Amino acid sequence: MSNRRLFKIKSKTVLNRVTTPAMPFTWSINPYRGCSHGCAFCYARNTHEFIGMSADDSFRTHLFVKEDAPAVLRRELAKGKWRGGRVQVGTATDPYQPLEKQQELTKQILEVLAFYRVPTSITTRSPLIQRDIELLRELNRYADCSVQISINTLDVKIWRSIEPESPHPQARFDTVKKLREAGIRTGILLAPVLPFLTDDVPMLKRLVQSARESDASFVVPSILRLKPQVKQWFFGQLEAHFPETVASYRNLYKGTYVEERYAKRFQEKMGPILQHWGYTKEFFADGDDVYPGVAYRQSAKVPAEEKKEQLSFESIAFRPIKPSEQRK
């Protein structure tokens, strides 16, 4: 994109405390502000308003690089700011967006987290994460590491219309397989599910089948949510590419979240699909809080007594069914 602008900025802080009780992590890190993938539905678009911009395509064209982030993180950890808990890398923008290929900020941040042995999770849509497989293995060896790859469709028209510059969905499934072969716990964020576009049963079956074939450790379906600032931009993209859906979306999204009856119907059709492909719903408690939980396929690398990881992302998570649990 010819009108893209890059800004290098300094960081006051990099390790940010997460206080929302529903979140399955304690800290967040975002090496970049803005994302060149340009996903029309991205809930983080409104963060550009914090710096005087808008939730429109400025989010894709005006990108901010926190060039001192690795050094600031190292200082924060050396001073003892981190006092336990999981760190999530990539909560507002994709840490492996194309910028990362040259900037390598995410790579340097992971090196710092590995040095201090900080449990880490990463969310991305990008196969570029494969570049750092050895680093992820090192982090996993000493501190625990997991990866969530976001995928919500295999339909090329929908993908390219709604995610104009994100990597091909099949490349993401291939990435899951590569990371799993490397021993990294990796699963699918089936997110966001787009009503009337990516929620039909045949598409959901293809997605879950592909997840299973890529050996995904878990699947986490999550229905689209639309903050007011993002809704205007998203509806504009629907008008341009899928105008027949706009009226239905306006009826379904009176607020940020989808209408409750739709959510219930979606869960009713999603559950059997996941179970057919060997994933089962599971919940577990952690301290005083209860989150949707994820269990992983048993292997010699995952001791039975190991604590299951929290990966709710405001949705229901599923794990592969063990052979002993299959119905006779």
Side-chain angles (χ1 to χ4, degrees):
M1 178 173 281
S2 58
N3 63 338
R4 183 163 291 142
R5 298 182 64 187
L6 186 67
F7 305 87
K8 293 192 176 183
I9 59 176
K10 300 295 184 181
S11 306
K12 293 182 179 179
T13 183
V14 172
L15 188 62
N16 300 295
R17 183 86 184 190
V18 177
T19 58
T20 305
M23 288 296 100
F25 44 86
T26 312
W27 308 88
S28 69
I29 294 176
N30 290 288
Y32 306 101
R33 181 187 289 272
C35 183
S36 59
H37 289 165
C39 301
F41 48 72
C42 183
Y43 63 84
R45 283 180 171 274
N46 72 306
T47 60
H48 259 38
E49 295 187 349
F50 304 160
I51 52 175
M53 295 186 181
S54 68
D56 60 13
D57 222 27
S58 299
F59 188 75
R60 176 165 60 137
T61 60
H62 291 66
L63 307 175
F64 296 80
V65 178
K66 302 175 184 179
E67 59 180 351
D68 61 344
V72 172
L73 176 63
R74 187 176 292 276
R75 289 199 299 270
E76 289 179 325
L77 293 178
K79 292 179 179 179
K81 181 176 181 179
W82 178 73
R83 298 181 181 276
R86 181 168 296 275
V87 171
Q88 178 72 35
V89 180
T91 58
T93 58
D94 196 317
Y96 282 99
Q97 61 178 291
L99 273 177
E100 171 62 17
K101 188 172 184 180
Q102 290 76 39
Q103 302 295 328
E104 295 193 346
L105 288 182
T106 298
K107 180 179 181 180
Q108 295 174 56
I109 284 171
L110 292 177
E111 289 172 345
V112 175
L113 293 172
F115 180 83
Y116 283 92
R117 300 190 176 187
V118 177
T120 303
S121 294
I122 306 159
T123 300
T124 183
R125 279 177 151 75
S126 177
L128 180 58
I129 193 173
Q130 294 182 54
R131 178 199 64 188
D132 297 337
I133 280 181
E134 289 308 312
L135 177 55
L136 296 176
R137 293 180 69 179
E138 178 183 354
L139 185 57
N140 193 50
R141 186 177 304 117
Y142 295 111
D144 187 50
C145 175
S146 66
V147 176
Q148 301 90 47
I149 303 293
S150 297
I151 310 172
N152 70 343
T153 187
L154 290 170
D155 184 296
V156 174
K157 180 185 177 183
I158 296 173
W159 157 60
R160 190 45 75 209
S161 299
I162 302 298
E163 301 181 18
E165 294 190 61
S166 71
H168 194 286
Q170 187 55 55
R172 299 181 223 175
F173 278 117
D174 294 342
T175 298
V176 173
K177 188 172 184 179
K178 289 286 187 182
L179 293 172
R180 292 291 296 124
E181 289 172 349
I184 306 300
R185 291 182 295 185
T186 307
I188 301 298
L189 295 187
L190 206 164
V193 174
L194 304 177
F196 318 116
L197 291 175
T198 68
D199 63 344
D200 61 281
V201 170
M203 174 58 68
L204 294 173
K205 286 181 177 179
R206 288 178 60 200
L207 286 167
V208 179
Q209 178 181 359
S210 296
R212 186 66 179 191
E213 291 174 348
S214 65
D215 195 31
S217 302
F218 51 87
V219 176
V220 185
S222 182
I223 302 170
L224 173 71
R225 55 177 173 144
L226 289 171
K227 294 182 178 180
Q229 305 92 326
V230 179
K231 187 182 295 187
Q232 182 177 357
W233 175 258
F234 181 72
F235 280 5
Q237 299 309 297
L238 290 181
E239 289 276 10
H241 301 287
F242 306 99
E244 70 281 1
T245 67
V246 176
S248 297
Y249 265 91
R250 293 192 187 280
N251 288 330
L252 202 59
Y253 283 90
K254 302 298 185 182
T256 298
Y257 297 95
V258 72
E259 193 267 339
E260 187 175 348
R261 286 179 297 176
Y262 173 91
K264 183 178 180 180
R265 289 195 301 269
F266 175 77
Q267 291 180 12
E268 288 173 350
K269 67 180 177 182
M270 191 77 221
I273 296 171
L274 286 156
Q275 191 158 14
H276 175 79
W277 287 103
Y279 293 92
T280 184
K281 184 168 60 175
E282 180 172 294
F283 294 87
F284 67 93
D286 179 53
D288 296 328
D289 299 313
V290 178
Y291 300 99
V294 178
Y296 300 91
R297 185 177 294 112
Q298 288 191 356
S299 72
K301 298 179 181 178
V302 185
E305 68 273 14
E306 181 176 83
K307 184 179 180 180
K308 302 181 183 70
E309 184 180 7
Q310 303 167 11
L311 276 173
S312 67
F313 292 91
E314 301 179 337
S315 57
I316 299 172
F318 297 79
R319 67 171 175 81
I321 299 174
K322 294 181 288 187
S324 61
E325 297 175 334
Q326 297 282 4
R327 292 183 177 179
K328 303 298 184 179

